[in-house]
Amino acid sequence: MTENYVQYASGFQKDNIDEADIVKAISDIQLMDDEHGAFWVSVITDNENVIEVNKDLSLSVIFGGQETKYHAIDWKEVKELYKLLLLEKFDEIASIIK
């Protein structure tokens, strides 16, 4: 099993997550103040692959040490990107955010 985790800017962290944890994090972030309104998910393969989302739908995507900034259309798109991340579909994510 691939190692993965979710971490909130407020400090909460959970290992070995699934799609339900992503849905909860998206719900939680919408209730957070701006200072703590972010979370990130990391999937560790040969590298650490991370997507961080802020309350304003801005994302930082880090694959292989390369960071790409992206602004999601809505929370549905954010959920889809995280779903692809958990499935290790890094190429699909890269084609969406370019």
Side-chain angles (χ1 to χ4, degrees):
M1 175 182 255
T2 303
E3 183 181 345
N4 63 46
Y5 65 89
V6 62
Q7 185 166 347
Y8 292 22
S10 62
F12 172 80
Q13 181 174 331
K14 181 179 180 189
D15 295 331
N16 302 317
I17 63 166
D18 59 22
E19 193 174 340
D21 295 307
I22 300 294
V23 171
K24 180 175 179 353
I26 288 171
S27 176
D28 289 348
I29 193 176
Q30 294 175 41
L31 301 173
M32 292 178 190
D33 60 36
D34 289 338
E35 181 181 351
H36 296 102
F39 73 89
W40 53 94
V41 172
S42 175
V43 173
I44 302 168
T45 55
D46 293 336
N47 295 304
E48 187 167 9
N49 304 283
V50 179
I51 298 178
E52 177 180 336
V53 64
N54 291 289
K55 192 172 182 173
D56 66 359
L57 296 173
S58 61
L59 282 79
S60 293
V61 180
I62 305 168
F63 295 161
Q66 297 290 325
E67 181 176 10
T68 303
K69 299 288 188 179
Y70 180 74
H71 196 275
I73 298 166
D74 55 24
W75 289 108
K76 182 179 177 186
E77 183 180 30
V78 171
K79 179 182 171 189
E80 286 302 311
L81 290 169
Y82 278 121
K83 185 176 175 181
L84 291 170
L85 181 66
L86 291 178
L87 294 171
E88 299 180 29
K89 305 256 184 195
F90 309 123
D91 291 339
E92 286 184 47
I93 296 168
S95 69
I96 293 168
I97 66 167
K98 61 177 168 171

